[in-house]
Amino acid sequence: MMTAARTADTGLAGPGELDRYTHADAPAGERAAARSWGDPDTELGRVGRRGSASRGRGLHGQLVQQLGQMIVSGDLGADRPLVPEEIGQRFEVSRTVVRESLRVLEAKGLVSARPNVGTRVRPVSDWNLLDPDIIEWRAFGPQRDDQRRELGELRWTIEPLAARLAAGHKRDDLQQRLGDMVEIMGHALGQGDVITCARADAEFHSLLIQAAGNRMLEHLSGIVSAALQVSGGPVTGCDRPNEASLGHHARIADALASGDAAGAETAMRQLLVVQVERVVPAPREREH
């Protein structure tokens, strides 16, 4: 939970400061229906007291994180009015912080703001489900199983294609960096360095998609990065030495260097069996 002292020079709001669409602008029936953020008997009150995964963010980032988690978890249901004055009072932040946070959530498709209607939570069908923050919030919320399954299925679609395409593009710089990542992963596995291994693995997959030479695929690289972070624990086996995973990475790099498109695609599919099958079975397994 975000807390801050209210002093004249902190920039934090006192009661009564309003955002661009105020509670007073809402129809009377909606004003009567709106619950208080501080009411201990409401879901809003309980959720607001949970620890925020702020990860060192400022007030603006913390508020985005908190509200985003509440929306994605369903604690703030679709078409729920978000009253800026109540948000500011509940989280003890300024009108500016609330306004900018709601703008970020609006850009992600989580809320909409309209004159004479106010700011409301939008249905799931309107969310930008490829946004890395939303992926993370879903993966650690009530929808975690669905999110991880969907991420795994997308990886089965994206990464083998990227590997095949990358083999047809001679990008010596990227291929050298891919080889470097394999070496770093191998050293980290030997040292039991989970963090370095995971970072090198994520960089390997990001570089591979860049090497595909397809800007639309490259735009989806954040999905893979998010999947590697939220797939229910270390997805590459970096918590234990895993020579099989490392070998698949090395075979992908070798296939790319030799221009072997089929070999690169096959090696990627073999790697995904290691990385993804704990989350979602390979397509061929689901068919039986």
Side-chain angles (χ1 to χ4, degrees), residues 46-202:
R46 288 195 292 272
V47 172
R49 292 178 178 84
R50 297 175 188 168
S52 172
S54 62
R55 297 172 298 186
R57 297 173 179 176
L59 287 177
H60 164 263
Q62 291 182 48
L63 185 57
V64 169
Q65 183 86 356
Q66 186 76 49
L67 293 177
Q69 289 174 331
M70 293 169 70
I71 292 170
V72 169
S73 69
D75 290 310
L76 289 175
D79 207 36
R80 160 84 190 186
L82 299 180
V83 183
E85 182 183 31
E86 292 183 359
I87 296 173
Q89 292 176 353
R90 174 66 188 85
F91 293 102
E92 297 187 327
V93 294
S94 69
R95 176 176 55 188
T96 299
V97 169
V98 174
R99 180 176 63 248
E100 293 304 317
S101 298
L102 290 177
R103 284 178 177 172
V104 171
L105 295 174
E106 186 173 12
K108 296 177 184 293
L110 293 179
V111 304
S112 62
R114 292 181 294 170
N116 302 320
V117 174
T119 301
R120 290 181 173 273
V121 176
R122 299 172 71 173
V124 177
S125 58
D126 292 340
W127 298 356
N128 177 8
L129 295 179
L130 301 183
D131 181 280
D133 283 336
I134 294 180
I135 288 174
E136 177 185 333
W137 296 333
R138 291 186 73 208
F140 292 102
Q143 302 164 333
R144 62 177 65 87
D145 291 339
D146 286 342
Q147 177 65 99
R148 292 169 183 170
R149 173 183 55 79
E150 291 166 3
L151 284 172
E153 290 171 343
L154 277 176
R155 292 190 67 193
W156 279 108
T157 301
I158 294 170
E159 293 193 82
L161 173 61
R164 170 176 284 276
L165 292 175
H169 296 276
K170 295 297 293 182
R171 291 288 305 277
D172 293 338
D173 56 336
L174 291 179
Q175 289 172 2
Q176 177 61 48
R177 291 169 66 190
L178 285 167
D180 292 342
M181 292 305 108
V182 174
E183 290 186 12
I184 292 172
M185 289 177 64
H187 180 74
L189 284 172
Q191 298 295 316
D193 186 345
V194 179
I195 294 176
T196 298
C197 182
R199 288 174 177 171
D201 185 28

Side-chain angles (χ1 to χ4, degrees), residues 3-57:
T3 59
R6 292 175 182 268
T7 62
D9 57 354
T10 61
L12 301 179
E17 293 194 46
L18 302 177
D19 197 356
R20 51 179 172 160
Y21 301 135
T22 67
H23 189 40
D25 291 334
E30 294 175 4
R31 294 199 300 270
R35 295 175 293 178
S36 170
W37 289 77
D39 184 351
D41 295 327
T42 66
E43 283 298 315
L44 295 181
R46 288 195 292 272
V47 172
R49 292 178 178 84
R50 297 175 188 168
S52 172
S54 62
R55 297 172 298 186
R57 297 173 179 176

Side-chain angles (χ1 to χ4, degrees), residues 248-269:
H248 293 316
H249 282 87
R251 280 188 285 277
I252 293 170
D254 290 343
L256 294 180
S258 63
D260 182 0
E265 181 177 3
T266 298
M268 176 57 75
R269 292 189 183 280

Side-chain angles (χ1 to χ4, degrees), residues 177-240:
R177 291 169 66 190
L178 285 167
D180 292 342
M181 292 305 108
V182 174
E183 290 186 12
I184 292 172
M185 289 177 64
H187 180 74
L189 284 172
Q191 298 295 316
D193 186 345
V194 179
I195 294 176
T196 298
C197 182
R199 288 174 177 171
D201 185 28
E203 180 69 8
F204 180 95
H205 289 269
S206 178
L207 289 169
L208 176 68
I209 293 178
Q210 291 180 44
N214 183 305
R215 291 183 179 178
M216 296 187 72
L217 273 181
E218 187 172 343
H219 186 70
L220 300 177
S221 63
I223 297 172
V224 176
S225 296
L228 289 169
Q229 295 177 30
V230 304
S231 294
V235 294
T236 61
C238 288
D239 55 332
R240 300 177 300 276

